[in-house]
């Protein structure tokens, strides 16, 4: 067996300097100090565990020590005993997870989850464990997902760091490993495979060969996981600073075939410009570029889930619309229409909120429209429609379209950027003149009914839509001109 690298402590060994740093971090939190004192006085153990310890160690290593916001604690106290210890100290408690041994509490504005030592067994037909209380910290840590989450810091007087599976060494080495067999771990809870994907993006860790092999072998097991849980992990991955490597792992292991097969289908689908190895690689590049534009815009929401989903999925209609043309060309006519429908179907199945689904589908539908702009030949009417069709998604559409221009030809890239600059300028000029954010007909419903002498009903709606189209086509009209156009339309509609 090869020797461990010097920077990686042997399993269970934590350097004294790290021990001291973690003790100091724990002592920075009055909540942890008080919690430890209460449990110790009652004769119970209490340990800070999981991501809280991992993040504290990362913060210590970065030279920017901080106490994590939400705290996870494990104890040998049973749930009812934990509730009694929290009585009169916590501002509020909740027991929605008490069947699994977890009691939640808000203490001085800090959220704490306290879980009894567990020694669960899984039935492997669902991800719900047969809950069993454990008797030791080490056994509790052994059932956790990855070694970097299987470390603990005692909240007792000694502040002892427990690391039986070498999580600190893995953190220093930048690798992702399971405490025991990766196959057994993922069979117990297949959601851990998606957590592995997320940790690649969140912590920049590289899974071991064993972990990757188990993910490939067991990817179909994700079918046991509810769509809601899958969606949460996928979203968390996308919202990280640099999700590309994680998404490549997601696809290469076959997890995407189960969760987001439309993404896997983009591989080897050559795009019509022959500028990219395949549409899959192009889509990841668009995502990278969209994230960069999002971060560079101080007025934008960041991280922006809607923009990132649209960047990743904007071309998923291409496989279904690919056609081989004369001369060796490949076309994807109307892939934006097909793609918008596929986006709606997939995101609905993943239980995304309706507003997210509608926004991502609309961005997918609109992402090609700019390419009809040419060198600025659009009429003011077309520019108005571009802006009003996008509505409040316009800032995101700007970023998506710019990100989608990934040509490696520097002259063409500069020309596309300049052309889009000119479109944005025209939109801004028209918006200043006409308030494009609220384009409405020049006459409202009451005026329509008075002019035409009709009661409320379908015909008023038809007249309103006619006037809105007129407004988009010609811009704001004086009331008398709008009235004349309305009367002419009404007369022709009724055979006059």
């Amino acid at each position: 067996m090869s020797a461990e690298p010097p920077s990686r402590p042997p399993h269970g060994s934590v350097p004294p300097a790290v021990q001291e740093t973690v003790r100091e971090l724990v002592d920075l939190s009055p909540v942890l100090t008080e919690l430890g004192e209460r449990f110790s006085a009652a004769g119970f153990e209490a340990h800070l565990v999981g991501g809280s310890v991992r993040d504290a160690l990362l913060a210590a290593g970065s030279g920017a020590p901080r106490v994590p916001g939400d705290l996870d604690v494990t104890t040998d106290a049973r749930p009812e005993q934990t509730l009694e210890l929290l009585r009169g100290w916590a501002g509020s408690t909740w027991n929605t997870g008490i069947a699994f041994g977890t009691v939640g509490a808000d203490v001085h504005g800090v959220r704490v989850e306290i879980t009894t030592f567990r020694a669960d067994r899984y039935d492997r037909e669902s991800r719900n464990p047969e809950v069993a209380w454990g008797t030791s910290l080490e056994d509790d840590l052994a059932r956790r997902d990855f070694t970097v989450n299987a470390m603990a810091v005692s909240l007792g007087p000694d502040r002892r760091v427990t690391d039986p599976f070498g999580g600190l060494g893995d953190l220093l080495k930048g690798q992702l490993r399971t405490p025991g067999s990766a196959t057994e771990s993922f069979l117990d809870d297949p959601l851990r495979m998606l957590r592995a994907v997320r940790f690649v993006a969140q912590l920049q860790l590289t899974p071991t060969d064993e972990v990757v092999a188990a993910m490939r072998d067991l990817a179909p097991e994700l079918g046991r996981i509810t769509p809601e849980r899958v969606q949460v992990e996928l979203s968390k991955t996308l919202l990280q600073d640099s999700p590309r490597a994680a998404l490549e792992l997601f696809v290469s292991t076959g997890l995407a075939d189960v969760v987001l097969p439309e993404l896997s289908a983009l591989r080897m689908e050559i795009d019509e410009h022959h500028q990219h190895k395949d549409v899959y690689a192009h889509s990841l590049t668009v995502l990278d570029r969209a994230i960069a534009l999002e971060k560079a815009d101080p007025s934008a929401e960041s991280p922006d889930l809607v923009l990132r989903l649209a960047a990743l999925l904007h071309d998923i209609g291409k496989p279904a619309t690919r056609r081989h043309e004369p001369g060796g060309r490949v076309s994807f006519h109307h892939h934006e229409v097909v793609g918008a429908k596929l986006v709606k179907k997939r995101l609905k199945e993943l239980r995304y909120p309706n507003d997210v689904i509608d926004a991502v589908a609309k961005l997918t539908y609109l992402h090609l429209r700019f390419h009809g702009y040419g060198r600025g030949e659009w009429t003011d009417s077309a520019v108005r429609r571009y802006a009003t069709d996008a509505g409040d998604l316009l800032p995101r559409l700007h970023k998506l379209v710019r990100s989608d221009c990934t040509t490696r030809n520097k002259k063409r890239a500069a020309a596309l950027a300049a052309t889009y600059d000119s479109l944005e300028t025209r939109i801004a000029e028209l918006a200043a003149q006409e308030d494009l954010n609220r384009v409405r007909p020049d006459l409202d419903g009451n005026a329509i009914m008075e002019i035409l002498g009709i009661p409320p009903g379908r015909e008023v709606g038809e007249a309103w839509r006619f006037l809105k189209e007129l407004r988009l086509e010609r811009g704001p009209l004086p009331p008398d001109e709008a009235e004349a156009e309305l009367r002419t339309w009404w007369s022709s509609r009724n055979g006059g």
Side-chain angles (χ1 to χ4, degrees), residues 246-312:
L247 291 170
E248 289 173 341
L249 177 68
F250 179 55
V251 171
S252 67
T253 54
L255 296 177
D257 294 344
V258 180
V259 174
L260 197 60
E262 294 83 1
L263 180 61
S264 301
L266 295 178
R267 287 182 295 181
M268 303 308 294
E269 295 292 345
I270 307 301
D271 79 347
E272 68 267 40
H273 304 298
H274 295 271
Q275 295 297 314
H276 307 281
K277 181 180 179 181
D278 53 49
V279 179
Y280 165 66
H282 163 73
S283 297
L284 294 180
T285 299
V286 173
L287 176 61
D288 288 340
R289 290 166 61 90
I291 291 172
L293 289 176
E294 167 200 299
K295 291 178 179 178
D297 183 354
S299 66
E301 173 188 341
S302 184
D304 185 341
L305 181 62
V306 166
L307 176 62
R308 295 181 184 203
L309 281 168
L312 183 65

Side-chain angles (χ1 to χ4, degrees), residues 174-177 196-197 200 205-212 215 249:
Q175 75 174 8
L176 192 64
R177 190 169 56 85
V197 169
V200 169
L205 299 178
T206 301
T208 62
D209 291 345
E210 181 196 1
V211 167
V212 173
M215 291 168 74
L249 177 68

Side-chain angles (χ1 to χ4, degrees), residues 339-349 357-358 361:
K341 292 178 180 178
L342 290 174
V343 160
K344 280 197 168 187
K345 180 176 183 292
R346 178 56 54 195
L347 297 189
K348 184 176 181 181
E349 289 180 359
I357 296 172
D358 292 342

Side-chain angles (χ1 to χ4, degrees), residues 316-327:
I316 63 170
K318 282 189 170 180
T321 57
R322 182 173 65 166
R323 298 291 182 272
H324 294 281
E325 307 289 355

Side-chain angles (χ1 to χ4, degrees), residues 15-273:
V18 174
Q19 294 262 11
E20 184 59 31
T21 299
V22 175
R23 288 191 193 103
E24 291 174 358
L25 284 169
V26 169
D27 289 336
L28 285 175
S29 169
V31 169
L32 287 177
T33 300
E34 293 175 25
L35 189 151
E37 291 171 349
R38 295 180 76 88
F39 276 71
S40 294
F44 295 113
E45 297 179 39
H47 305 266
L48 186 68
V49 290
S52 299
V53 178
R54 180 199 70 217
D55 293 345
L57 289 168
L58 286 172
S62 69
R66 60 178 176 81
V67 178
D70 293 344
L71 304 173
D72 293 317
V73 173
T74 190
T75 179
D76 56 345
R78 296 296 172 90
E80 62 276 9
Q81 294 168 322
T82 295
L83 280 169
E84 186 60 34
L85 287 168
L86 294 174
R87 195 183 312 278
W89 177 58
S92 62
T93 60
W94 54 93
N95 56 12
T96 51
I98 201 166
F100 298 98
T102 299
V103 173
D106 181 278
V107 185
H108 307 319
V110 177
R111 181 187 174 100
V112 185
E113 289 196 343
I114 305 169
T115 304
T116 301
F117 291 163
R118 300 262 293 274
D120 302 338
R121 296 291 181 269
Y122 290 79
D123 60 16
R124 296 191 177 176
E125 293 179 6
S126 70
R127 66 179 298 270
N128 296 323
E130 299 171 5
V131 178
W133 307 136
T135 58
S136 75
L137 173 64
E138 287 73 12
D139 288 346
D140 181 85
L141 295 176
R143 52 171 290 278
R144 295 181 180 267
D145 53 2
F146 300 102
T147 60
V148 295
N149 293 330
M151 297 180 282
V153 184
S154 170
L155 301 182
D158 63 351
R159 297 286 194 268
R160 177 173 53 90
V161 178
T162 301
D163 181 18
F165 303 103
L168 175 60
D170 288 337
L171 204 57
L172 294 172
K173 193 176 180 181
Q175 75 174 8
L176 192 64
R177 190 169 56 85
T178 53
S181 158
T183 296
E184 293 298 311
S185 179
F186 298 157
L187 280 172
D188 279 348
D189 185 356
L191 189 66
R192 290 172 175 170
M193 293 185 283
L194 285 184
R195 287 171 60 82
V197 169
R198 169 160 61 93
F199 288 142
V200 169
Q202 180 180 337
L203 305 173
Q204 291 78 56
L205 299 178
T206 301
T208 62
D209 291 345
E210 181 196 1
V211 167
V212 173
M215 291 168 74
R216 286 199 179 102
D217 291 343
L218 300 176
E221 295 291 325
L222 272 179
R224 292 159 42 194
I225 306 301
T226 63
E228 291 85 356
R229 298 300 302 275
V230 168
Q231 180 248 101
V232 167
E233 286 300 328
L234 176 61
S235 296
K236 285 181 178 179
T237 297
L238 281 174
L239 293 174
Q240 302 303 319
D241 282 346
S242 302
R244 181 168 185 150
L247 291 170
E248 289 173 341
L249 177 68
F250 179 55
V251 171
S252 67
T253 54
L255 296 177
D257 294 344
V258 180
V259 174
L260 197 60
E262 294 83 1
L263 180 61
S264 301
L266 295 178
R267 287 182 295 181
M268 303 308 294
E269 295 292 345
I270 307 301
D271 79 347
E272 68 267 40
H273 304 298

Side-chain angles (χ1 to χ4, degrees), residues 405-441:
C405 298
T406 59
T407 176
R408 296 170 188 165
N409 183 315
K410 292 184 178 179
K411 182 179 287 189
R412 174 169 167 74
L416 284 168
T419 303
Y420 205 86
D421 287 343
S422 75
L423 175 58
E424 284 202 57
T425 298
R426 289 182 66 188
I427 291 172
E429 290 171 348
L430 285 171
Q433 297 167 17
E434 305 176 12
D435 191 8
L436 288 183
N437 289 330
R438 294 189 297 185
V439 168
R440 299 181 66 81

